[in-house]
Amino acid sequence: MAKNAYESLLFHARETAALEQVAGRLGWDQETVMPRGSAAQRGEELAAMEGVLHARRTEPRIAEWLAGAEPADEVAAAQLAKIRRAHERALKVPARLSQEIARVTSLAQGIWAGARAREDLAGFLPVLGDVVRLKREEGAALAGGGDIYDAMIDDYEPGMTGAEIETMFAALRPRLVALRERILGAAYHPPALDGSFGADAQLRLSRDLAQVFGYDFSRGRIDMAVHPFCSGGGNDVRITTRVAEADPFNCLYSTIHETGHAAYEQNIDPDYLLTPIGGGVSMGVHESQSRICENQLGRSRAFTGWLLEQMRERFGEFGVTDPGVFYAMVNRVGPGFIRTEADEVHYNLHIMMRFDLERALMGGDLAVGDLEAAWNDRFLADFGVAVDRPSHGMLQDVHWSVGLFGYFPTYTLGNLYAGCLHKALRAALPDLDRDLAAGDLSRANDWLHENLRRHGGLYQPRELITRACGEAPSAGPLLDYLEEKFAGLYRL
Amino acid sequence: MAKNAYESLLFHARETAALEQVAGRLGWDQETVMPRGSAAQRGEELAAMEGVLHARRTEPRIAEWLAGAEPADEVAAAQLAKIRRAHERALKVPARLSQEIARVTSLAQGIWAGARAREDLAGFLPVLGDVVRLKREEGAALAGGGDIYDAMIDDYEPGMTGAEIETMFAALRPRLVALRERILGAAYHPPALDGSFGADAQLRLSRDLAQVFGYDFSRGRIDMAVHPFCSGGGNDVRITTRVAEADPFNCLYSTIHETGHAAYEQNIDPDYLLTPIGGGVSMGVHESQSRICENQLGRSRAFTGWLLEQMRERFGEFGVTDPGVFYAMVNRVGPGFIRTEADEVHYNLHIMMRFDLERALMGGDLAVGDLEAAWNDRFLADFGVAVDRPSHGMLQDVHWSVGLFGYFPTYTLGNLYAGCLHKALRAALPDLDRDLAAGDLSRANDWLHENLRRHGGLYQPRELITRACGEAPSAGPLLDYLEEKFAGLYRL
């Protein structure tokens, strides 16, 4: 039976989606199990995959099919919009460039990991220079005379611009900085967690936490990696974690965070599997799912009470029995170097700094050779602490090595969305704390599934959040939540 | 700079080779780490990859380039021959069929694994029926009126036919059966190894053995899988193993076996990396590399003496201290059910049986529904033992589930090649036993590297073996080796 234009498009797009899953799995493999001597070959493999994907996305028949396709409903309309968007984007970027980016970023990631381990910033700068050059070239091709950085943001958060983010960050920053200052000046400071927590027991508990937050292990797995991440979609969504015996919160909350990402992907309507709307709609919405799990739910007073009991049971007594003290420990505020370990107050300051730096880098206002000094100056100004080594500074994150410019701001956008979703969730389930205190996330997971996760890419990010929350996204709910939470915690 | 026809072909072929590596890695992933709920999606991913590969191999420009390409030397001539062969083969098989085979065999493999675990033959037969039907359709397309099974063999052992194999097997069988009967009737029988051998220590020792036999871990890794295998090429060659505490030889010799495959791939001339001649030339030659490591070297009197000391050191005393007794235990002959655990005398009888059965299956002379009865009847006739459960019978091997018809006979071909290579190796290194007794395989590895492995697909299988051995391959050396070895062992 001959396919109509829409069916032809979707058939083609399904195969493309399957191939994107394959390319993504290579990324997972590279960061978890790949032998170190395979890096150069892997670069060739990824470049070849990128060549295939680029050719598929620029396939001339797509334009013909698009011209003849009539969407029958809103799902079909969303599919067509995604296909059109990917097609138009791909046509702007030469195949040679997209393959070169795949090859170089694959290599750069390995170089970054080695440089970070050896505190060897100089060893990383040459390849970072290549990545920045190639990504700027790509950005210019995408922007077509417009703003390069805007074009990049659009890849991760469709419709968003650097100027809008700047405005939002400007709205967020004053109350955040004021809160930070009140906290750092407070008379009371909770103690830090002390002791050593066995790696195996941490991993077992983190698996259980993943299950609690809705991770379906029959369609996923947890491995160890330098940088915790979530990878894949549909029925093969994998997460990673890491373990430090002195800091169990790192492993446990990383796992909850990545579980939020994974549960989003795993809960998208199965009818959308391997289609253009079969993945999370944007990185900001993705981050809202990881953040609401990690912070608003996972670091709540109610849930940390349950977690304390789990930890006492599994690790034996470690000198903390008071749930109030434990809650304060989990939410302890301090100007640490590392973004992924940052508390809820400092986290967005890390992002604002990266946003300004990478925007300057992409705009050509900052050279790769000047990046470290710019990072360290800004960190000292914002956090009041001098960076003491590259791995505590600009070598800490994988993102730039793999060419993810325009990605960082979506983290704060995600926090903001999470603030909005949390407000709506609490309104829908006023007695949610009873569940959390019992380690039962099922009603929260269901609410997120029903109101957000199942939709995949059906709605645009802003529309999706507005539908779920009953109001447009704004910074207010996140700031209200942070101020109330930390005022209580720090007795402000 | 414009490429000439040969350069264009090679550029295209390199990308195809890189994509073949990607597809191979998906296979590795599926058998080692893939979540079980991902099977259907994986089938789609593999089908999409197969579609891409098929399209690349049938690309019309290949014929144009081939018409205009002039090989400058024997390497270029070999590359062109491989490219031509792959192109002509791909043109014979419809894209739809090759994708369907990729999808169905990916699913069938999971169904086989489940059926085997549950002894559920009936649960496997429907999908096996699909695989057989699709492979026969493919075989008919490849054969173009000729013999279907011959066309399939040619995929694994270029130039070989069913009739030639039949002749070789007929030459091998009488002396093999006679040897088997003398052994089973012998007055002396070595004892079986007794005891429990810790899984972790087995795995540590197997890693060390892999290193001894030349595995480069910086470009490979060992994982656990139901079925030991070797996967990948060039700078990413991975092997798997399995562990049974009561039977350490299973893990140790499986690992040595797969290391032979891996060392072949890892030692091909790096100039051939990701080119048509950058992989092992045939499955028979591949198997010669695994078998010579496992059997002629790994189960030799000299090497088992060293292995005994390693085992005593690592597992503690287990009641065997006499190297002669240990050597006999390692080489104990018995009519077991399982091919991969078979001794050197019975192994080829397992293969001959599979060869006849699959040849009948592909020829349409045996129905899938009659296969179990045919298997069990033949096993009883050849081995004198009745199959007691499906996992001891036709469910034991993965091959048919993934459509590998025509592959089994290459195992015996590999044994035969290994016999020839071993004779030549011993002639070149008359004092090799001194090395083996010290667990030092470096000179043997070097000889194999120099005379065989480095060439990749440069020569045809028969030519390669003839060059390495100074004479054409024949069954004589293998039979001489077996008769001498087992006459000594069983005091015949």
Side-chain angles (χ1 to χ4, degrees):
Chain A
M1 199 177 64
K3 296 186 189 78
N4 68 30
Y6 177 73
E7 288 163 348
S8 298
L9 273 174
L10 213 66
F11 184 82
H12 189 265
R14 273 182 202 276
E15 283 201 341
T16 306
L19 295 168
E20 285 166 345
Q21 288 297 315
V22 173
R25 201 101 57 241
L26 284 185
W28 172 86
D29 185 280
Q30 178 163 340
E31 293 184 61
T32 53
V33 294
M34 186 184 82
R36 64 185 157 74
S38 314
Q41 178 169 324
R42 178 56 52 90
E44 296 304 313
E45 293 168 7
L46 281 163
M49 283 302 292
E50 181 55 32
V52 166
L53 287 167
H54 190 273
R56 288 188 71 87
R57 293 181 191 126
T58 53
E59 164 73 53
R61 286 176 305 168
I62 293 176
E64 292 167 31
W65 286 327
L66 279 169
E70 283 298 327
D73 52 27
E74 71 170 349
V75 169
Q79 301 283 23
L80 287 176
K82 292 270 181 196
I83 291 169
R84 187 182 310 275
R85 184 181 147 88
H87 182 58
E88 287 171 355
R89 185 198 187 283
L91 284 176
K92 290 177 188 161
V93 182
R96 172 204 55 77
L97 179 60
S98 74
Q99 286 196 266
E100 186 68 7
I101 289 172
R103 182 183 296 112
V104 171
T105 55
S106 168
L107 291 173
Q109 180 172 7
I111 295 170
W112 163 76
R116 184 179 115 144
R118 291 189 305 274
E119 301 290 355
D120 174 23
L121 186 81
F124 176 56
L125 289 182
V127 77
L128 179 61
D130 291 341
V131 173
V132 166
R133 178 177 50 75
L134 291 166
K135 288 298 287 186
R136 290 190 69 209
E137 192 181 338
E138 184 192 50
L142 289 171
D147 187 86
I148 288 181
Y149 190 60
D150 280 358
M152 290 176 167
I153 293 170
D154 196 64
D155 270 357
Y156 308 114
E157 197 69 18
M160 188 59 67
T161 66
E164 273 181 90
I165 290 171
E166 195 179 337
T167 306
M168 263 185 337
F169 285 7
L172 206 55
R173 189 174 177 94
R175 278 171 69 183
L176 215 49
V177 169
L179 176 61
R180 171 180 185 270
E181 281 169 9
R182 285 166 67 207
I183 291 171
L184 295 185
Y188 168 77
H189 282 277
L193 183 66
D194 199 26
S196 180
F197 300 79
D200 287 348
Q202 283 193 44
L203 289 172
R204 276 195 300 276
L205 177 53
S206 72
R207 286 184 69 86
D208 292 345
L209 289 170
Q211 207 131 29
V212 162
F213 279 89
Y215 192 42
D216 176 358
F217 278 95
S218 78
R219 300 182 294 138
R221 53 180 289 128
I222 303 186
D223 294 271
M224 306 292 286
V226 175
H227 210 86
F229 65 91
C230 171
S231 157
N235 291 323
D236 194 345
V237 182
R238 306 179 184 184
I239 66 175
T240 63
T241 192
R242 57 184 172 198
V243 179
E245 300 214 330
D247 181 11
F249 296 150
N250 190 324
C251 171
L252 302 179
Y253 282 98
S254 286
T255 304
I256 295 175
H257 178 100
E258 301 306 336
T259 295
H261 286 299
Y264 182 15
E265 290 289 331
Q266 289 186 324
N267 280 288
I268 293 171
D269 190 329
D271 282 354
Y272 305 163
L273 185 72
L274 296 180
T275 74
I277 66 167
V281 70
S282 75
M283 295 323 300
V285 174
H286 239 298
E287 195 67 11
S288 78
Q289 298 309 292
S290 55
R291 285 285 156 182
I292 195 171
C293 290
E294 179 188 353
N295 291 334
Q296 280 88 352
L297 302 174
R299 294 191 208 267
S300 65
R301 168 90 199 212
F303 187 77
T304 55
W306 178 80
L307 182 62
L308 171 62
E309 293 315 308
Q310 289 296 314
M311 287 183 65
R312 291 175 65 194
E313 209 171 275
R314 288 152 188 259
F315 298 107
E317 292 301 335
F318 52 90
V320 187
T321 53
D322 179 336
V325 172
F326 184 74
Y327 172 54
M329 284 174 154
V330 166
N331 287 286
R332 205 160 166 266
V333 174
F337 293 116
I338 305 296
R339 174 185 62 84
T340 56
E341 296 166 9
D343 56 76
E344 288 178 81
V345 177
H346 281 96
Y347 189 88
N348 296 304
L349 297 176
H350 283 274
I351 296 303
M352 289 173 188
M353 170 178 144
R354 284 161 180 73
F355 167 70
D356 289 336
L357 291 174
E358 68 176 21
R359 201 177 177 200
L361 211 51
M362 288 298 112
D365 303 319
L366 177 64
V368 167
D370 299 328
L371 183 56
E372 185 189 24
W375 177 295
N376 292 352
D377 289 351
R378 171 72 179 263
F379 192 83
L380 184 61
D382 279 10
F383 293 78
V385 187
V387 173
D388 61 348
R389 67 188 80 155
S391 70
H392 283 173
M394 65 164 277
L395 281 189
Q396 71 182 265
D397 289 314
V398 69
H399 301 62
W400 290 340
S401 77
V402 293
L404 293 177
F405 297 98
Y407 188 110
F408 275 125
T410 67
Y411 287 130
T412 286
L413 208 53
N415 283 329
L416 193 147
Y417 293 158
C420 302
L421 289 165
H422 181 237
K423 183 181 162 193
L425 171 66
R426 290 283 181 176
L429 303 173
D431 58 347
L432 181 62
D433 276 336
R434 275 218 311 256
D435 295 18
L436 299 180
D440 177 5
L441 271 286
S442 54
R443 286 197 305 156
N445 290 337
D446 287 349
W447 188 91
L448 289 166
H449 174 255
E450 179 59 28
N451 290 281
L452 190 138
R453 291 174 176 168
R454 69 188 172 92
H455 294 305
L458 182 60
Y459 306 115
Q460 287 294 87
R462 192 181 169 83
E463 183 187 355
L464 179 66
I465 300 294
T466 306
R467 279 174 168 264
C469 302
E471 58 184 338
S474 69
L478 175 65
L479 286 165
D480 294 346
Y481 152 79
L482 289 174
E483 285 169 352
E484 188 192 332
K485 174 173 181 172
F486 288 96
L489 265 165
Y490 279 82
R491 306 166 190 174
L492 302 176
Chain B
M1 199 177 66
K3 296 187 189 78
N4 67 31
Y6 178 73
E7 288 163 348
S8 298
L9 273 174
L10 213 66
F11 183 83
H12 188 266
R14 273 182 202 276
E15 283 201 341
T16 306
L19 294 168
E20 285 166 346
Q21 289 297 315
V22 173
R25 202 102 57 242
L26 284 185
W28 173 86
D29 185 280
Q30 177 163 341
E31 294 184 60
T32 53
V33 294
M34 186 183 82
R36 63 185 159 71
S38 313
Q41 178 169 323
R42 178 56 51 91
E44 296 304 314
E45 293 168 7
L46 280 164
M49 283 301 292
E50 181 55 32
V52 166
L53 287 167
H54 191 273
R56 286 189 72 88
R57 293 182 191 125
T58 54
E59 166 72 52
R61 286 177 305 169
I62 294 177
E64 291 166 32
W65 286 326
L66 279 170
E70 282 299 327
D73 52 27
E74 73 170 347
V75 170
Q79 301 283 22
L80 287 176
K82 292 270 181 195
I83 291 169
R84 188 182 309 274
R85 185 181 147 87
H87 182 58
E88 287 171 355
R89 185 196 186 283
L91 285 175
K92 291 178 188 162
V93 183
R96 172 205 55 74
L97 179 59
S98 74
Q99 287 196 266
E100 185 68 7
I101 289 172
R103 182 184 295 111
V104 170
T105 54
S106 169
L107 291 173
Q109 181 173 5
I111 295 170
W112 162 77
R116 185 180 113 145
R118 292 188 305 274
E119 301 290 353
D120 174 23
L121 185 82
F124 176 58
L125 289 182
V127 78
L128 178 62
D130 291 340
V131 173
V132 166
R133 178 178 48 74
L134 290 165
K135 288 298 287 185
R136 289 191 69 210
E137 192 181 338
E138 184 191 51
L142 289 172
D147 186 85
I148 289 182
Y149 190 61
D150 280 357
M152 292 177 165
I153 293 170
D154 196 64
D155 270 356
Y156 309 112
E157 197 69 18
M160 189 58 67
T161 65
E164 273 180 272
I165 291 171
E166 195 178 338
T167 305
M168 263 186 336
F169 285 5
L172 206 54
R173 189 175 177 95
R175 279 171 68 183
L176 217 49
V177 169
L179 177 61
R180 173 181 185 269
E181 280 168 11
R182 284 166 67 206
I183 291 170
L184 295 185
Y188 168 76
H189 281 277
L193 184 65
D194 199 26
S196 180
F197 299 80
D200 288 347
Q202 284 193 43
L203 289 172
R204 276 194 298 276
L205 177 53
S206 72
R207 287 184 70 85
D208 293 343
L209 288 170
Q211 208 130 27
V212 162
F213 280 88
Y215 192 41
D216 176 358
F217 278 96
S218 78
R219 301 182 293 140
R221 52 181 290 128
I222 303 186
D223 294 271
M224 306 291 288
V226 175
H227 210 85
F229 66 91
C230 171
S231 157
N235 291 323
D236 194 346
V237 182
R238 306 180 183 184
I239 67 175
T240 63
T241 192
R242 57 184 173 199
V243 179
E245 300 213 330
D247 181 11
F249 295 150
N250 190 324
C251 171
L252 303 179
Y253 282 98
S254 285
T255 304
I256 295 175
H257 179 101
E258 301 306 334
T259 295
H261 286 299
Y264 183 14
E265 290 288 332
Q266 288 187 326
N267 281 288
I268 293 171
D269 190 329
D271 282 353
Y272 306 163
L273 185 71
L274 297 181
T275 74
I277 65 167
V281 70
S282 75
M283 296 322 301
V285 175
H286 240 299
E287 195 68 11
S288 77
Q289 298 308 292
S290 55
R291 284 286 155 181
I292 196 171
C293 290
E294 178 187 353
N295 291 333
Q296 279 88 351
L297 302 173
R299 294 189 208 268
S300 65
R301 168 90 199 213
F303 187 77
T304 55
W306 178 80
L307 181 62
L308 171 61
E309 292 316 307
Q310 290 295 314
M311 288 183 64
R312 291 175 66 193
E313 208 170 277
R314 289 152 188 259
F315 299 108
E317 291 301 335
F318 51 90
V320 186
T321 53
D322 179 336
V325 172
F326 184 73
Y327 172 53
M329 284 174 154
V330 166
N331 287 287
R332 205 159 165 266
V333 174
F337 293 117
I338 305 296
R339 173 185 62 83
T340 56
E341 296 165 9
D343 57 76
E344 289 178 80
V345 177
H346 281 95
Y347 189 89
N348 296 304
L349 298 175
H350 283 275
I351 296 303
M352 290 174 188
M353 169 179 145
R354 284 160 178 74
F355 167 71
D356 289 335
L357 291 174
E358 68 176 20
R359 200 177 178 200
L361 211 52
M362 288 299 112
D365 303 319
L366 178 63
V368 167
D370 299 327
L371 182 56
E372 186 189 22
W375 178 295
N376 292 351
D377 289 351
R378 172 72 178 263
F379 192 83
L380 184 62
D382 280 10
F383 292 79
V385 186
V387 172
D388 61 349
R389 69 189 79 157
S391 69
H392 283 173
M394 64 164 277
L395 281 188
Q396 69 183 265
D397 289 312
V398 70
H399 302 61
W400 291 341
S401 76
V402 293
L404 293 178
F405 297 97
Y407 188 110
F408 275 125
T410 68
Y411 287 130
T412 286
L413 209 51
N415 283 329
L416 193 147
Y417 293 158
C420 302
L421 289 165
H422 182 238
K423 183 181 161 195
L425 171 67
R426 290 283 182 176
L429 302 174
D431 58 347
L432 181 62
D433 275 338
R434 275 217 311 257
D435 295 19
L436 300 180
D440 177 5
L441 271 285
S442 54
R443 287 198 306 155
N445 290 336
D446 287 349
W447 188 91
L448 290 167
H449 173 255
E450 179 59 28
N451 288 282
L452 190 136
R453 291 173 177 167
R454 68 188 173 93
H455 295 306
L458 182 60
Y459 305 116
Q460 286 294 87
R462 192 181 171 82
E463 184 188 355
L464 179 66
I465 299 295
T466 305
R467 277 173 168 265
C469 303
E471 58 184 337
S474 69
L478 176 66
L479 286 165
D480 293 345
Y481 153 79
L482 289 174
E483 285 170 351
E484 189 192 332
K485 174 174 182 173
F486 288 96
L489 265 164
Y490 279 83
R491 306 166 188 175
L492 302 175

